[in-house]
Each structure stands twice: as structure tokens, then as C-alpha cells.
């Protein structure tokens, strides 16, 4: 039988360095669909996965036009943090969360109040755009105003290059400092919490393995099975918006 929530709370209290990795599953209860869960964007429309590849975005104007259109309709820009995001803020406030690594690009950990210096947004953020030619960054809000005004694929205002959300697409390298910081945190922790991630997107999906090799405990929080379940010290299948607040109360 899997250890229960009280046991996991006890592990958190007794650990010296706790690291959490969150995925799209922590934001589904804020109304942002994940990719691979039962109601996931790609589960329902596998065609959309194409947009997430950088080469398609850079070479195919149709893909860019569709991406901007989807951004206008995306629930991510009006979403609010849910009790699961707040529970991680509470864990940090109690001194039991050293580093929070998120694959999410929605900015909801920051909106909930997680400390920027403890947070690694390893796949970037949708709240900024970046020019693929000159590298200039600007607020997403301004680009969306241009799309609403009729620019289907707004170019960079400085150099005319292609603009993209400041997120890491498939085929794009992660920021070396971010992946290095994440790997160091995983190697130095004694408890690793994998929360709402299908744990199949690499290199982030190596992080639990790095923690396990370094001797840390691993706890997986996910309604569905993940490739790490058989290696985890505990697997908790409840909805994150219910279980994480109960956990942070017990710590
Ligand atoms: P994923 O879609 O591959 O997996 C999400 C997992 O969360 C699934 O295994 C699902 O079973 C689980 N889940 C969903 N809702 C849950 C809930 N309420 N309680 C418990 N479990 C729940 O997501 P991933 O592993 O993060 O990888 C997808 C990639 O897509 C990431 O790189 C991320 O950048 C990106 N993404 C981000 C967002 C966002 O920012 N909110 C949304 C979709 C995709």
C-alpha cells in the first residue's frame, strides 16, 4: 500500500531540501487544459502538436497566424491561481520548499506569490514575446493588442523579425542556466515532489531520476499513471486542488 498523506507530510517536515516540479496538471483546475491528460489539448486535437515545433512556427506563416489566433482565445491570460498553487506558496512560507521548478508557462506560480528567486520557469513564459531575429523581449499584452487590431502575424517593431511567445517550443534548447540550476537542485534535494506532470518531456523528465540517484525520496502527485510511478516512494492520485492544500496544512 502507498504511504498516506500524513506520511508524506512527515517526510516534508523532516527533509532538509525539498524540490517540487510542476506540470500542466497543476493549472487544469484554473481552467487551462493540459496537453496529455484525458481532456488535454493534444489528446483531443493531435494536429495542434505541430504548432509547438519551432521549425514549423518559423517556416510556416499559417502556423504563426493560427498560434496568434489561439493566443487571443487562450484561457491562460485570464486564469487565476487555484488552491494547489497557493498550497505551494504556503509550503515555501513554512520553510519547506527550497526550489520550485515549473514546466508551465502560464505565470500562475508567480501570480500566487511564489518567490521569483526560488522559482525556475524552465519552459519560459507566455507573458512576454521574443523576437526570433534580434532577441528583443516585450510584454505579450502589447502584441495581443496588435493582433486584435488586425495584424495576423505581428513582426518585431525593432527589426521586422518573427515574434513568438517567450516559451521554449519543441526543437528549441532550454536556457542553460535554468537547466543547470534545476539539475543542481534535484541532485542536492532529499525529497522531490513531481506534481501534475506526465513526466515524458525531456530533459525536464530526467530531474526525478537525478534526485533518485542522489538518494532522495520521490513522491508523484498525478491522477493518471506516469513512467516514474514504480520508482516513487509514494504515488498520490487525488486532484491537486484538493490534496496539496491538505498536505500543506499537515506540514
Ligand atoms: P502534460 O499535459 O503532459 O501532463 C499533465 C499531467 O497532469 C497528466 O499526466 C494529467 O494526468 C495530470 N493532471 C491533470 N490535471 C490534474 C489534476 N487536477 N490533478 C492531478 N493530476 C492532474 O503536462 P506536462 O508534463 O507539464 O508537459 C506538457 C508541456 O506542455 C510542458 O512542457 C508545459 O510547458 C506545456 N504546457 C503548459 C501549460 C501551462 O502553462 N498551464 C498547459 C499545457 C501545456
Amino acid at each position: 500500500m502507498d504511504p498516506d498523506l500524513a506520511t508524506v507530510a512527515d517526510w516534508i517536515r523532516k527533509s532538509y531540501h525539498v524540490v517540487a516540479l510542476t506540470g500542466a496538471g497543476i493549472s487544469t483546475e484554473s481552467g487551462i487544459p493540459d496537453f496529455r491528460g484525458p481532456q488535454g489539448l493534444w489528446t483531443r486535437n493531435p494536429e495542434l502538436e505541430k504548432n509547438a515545433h519551432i521549425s514549423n512556427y518559423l517556416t510556416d506563416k499559417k502556423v504563426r497566424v493560427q498560434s496568434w489566433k489561439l493566443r487571443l482565445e487562450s484561457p491562460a491570460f485570464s486564469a487565476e491561481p487555484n488552491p494547489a498553487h497557493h498550497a505551494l506558496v504556503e509550503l515555501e512560507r513554512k520553510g519547506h520548499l527550497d526550489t520550485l521548478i515549473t514546466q508551465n508557462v502560464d505565470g500562475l506560480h508567480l501570480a500566487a506569490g511564489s518567490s521569483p528567486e526560488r522559482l525556475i520557469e524552465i519552459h519560459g513564459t507566455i507573458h512576454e514575446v521574443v523576437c526570433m531575429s534580434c532577441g528583443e523581449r516585450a510584454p505579450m499584452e502589447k502584441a495581443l493588442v496588435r493582433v486584435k487590431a488586425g495584424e495576423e502575424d505581428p513582426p518585431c517593431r525593432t527589426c521586422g523579425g518573427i515574434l513568438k511567445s517567450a516559451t521554449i517550443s519543441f526543437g528549441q534548447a532550454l536556457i542553460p542556466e535554468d537547466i543547470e540550476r534545476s539539475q543542481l537542485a534535484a541532485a542536492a534535494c532529499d525529497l522531490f515532489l513531481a506534481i501534475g506532470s506526465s513526466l515524458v518531456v525531456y530533459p525536464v523528465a530526467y530531474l526525478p531520476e537525478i534526485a533518485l540517484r542522489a538518494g532522495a525520496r520521490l513522491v508523484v502527485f498525478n491522477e493518471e499513471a506516469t513512467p516514474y510511478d514504480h520508482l516513487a516512494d509514494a504515488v498520490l492520485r487525488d486532484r491537486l486542488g484538493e490534496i496539496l492544500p491538505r498536505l500543506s496544512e499537515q506540514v
Side-chain angles (χ1 to χ4, degrees), residues 182-212:
S182 303
Q183 288 167 343
L184 286 173
C189 75
D190 48 0
L191 179 61
F192 191 98
L193 311 175
I195 301 170
S197 170
S198 55
L199 300 175
V200 296
V201 180
Y202 284 84
V204 174
Y206 279 125
L207 295 172
E209 189 179 324
I210 293 174
L212 283 170

Side-chain angles (χ1 to χ4, degrees), residues 155-168:
C156 170
R157 285 228 155 124
T158 304
C159 76
I162 292 174
L163 283 188
K164 189 182 97 59
S165 70
T167 54
I168 310 285

Side-chain angles (χ1 to χ4, degrees), residues 7 12 33 39 61 67 84 92 107 164 166 176 194 201 228 237 242:
T7 307
I12 292 179
Q39 293 305 315
K61 189 174 164 88
S67 299
E92 182 194 323
K164 189 182 97 59
V201 180
Y228 276 96
R237 292 252 179 262
E242 289 156 22

Side-chain angles (χ1 to χ4, degrees), residues 22-29 32-38 40-43 76 82 85 102-108 122-124 126 167-168 170 195-201 204 221-226 236-243:
T22 64
I26 198 169
S27 294
T28 54
E29 289 165 76
I32 307 174
D34 59 13
F35 283 164
R36 298 179 187 79
L41 279 180
W42 295 351
T43 313
N82 68 56
H85 296 99
T102 188
Q103 298 177 87
N104 294 345
V105 294
D106 54 32
L108 291 183
I122 199 151
H123 289 163
I126 55 167
T167 54
I168 310 285
F170 286 105
I195 301 170
S197 170
S198 55
L199 300 175
V200 296
V201 180
V204 174
F221 297 80
N222 198 314
E223 279 180 326
E224 308 250 308
T226 81
L236 298 165
R237 292 252 179 262
D238 313 63
R239 282 179 81 74
L240 296 169
E242 289 156 22
I243 196 165

Side-chain angles (χ1 to χ4, degrees), residues 22 41 54 65 73 81 98 100 104 113 118 145 151 159 163 196 205 211 235:
T22 64
L41 279 180
I54 188 68
V65 170
E73 297 159 3
D98 271 26
L100 174 56
N104 294 345
R118 291 190 186 275
V145 168
E151 285 184 70
C159 76
L163 283 188
V235 179

Side-chain angles (χ1 to χ4, degrees), residues 172-185:
Q172 260 186 305
L174 298 184
I175 311 276
E177 301 85 72
D178 288 346
I179 188 70
E180 196 183 332
R181 251 180 90 203
S182 303
Q183 288 167 343
L184 286 173

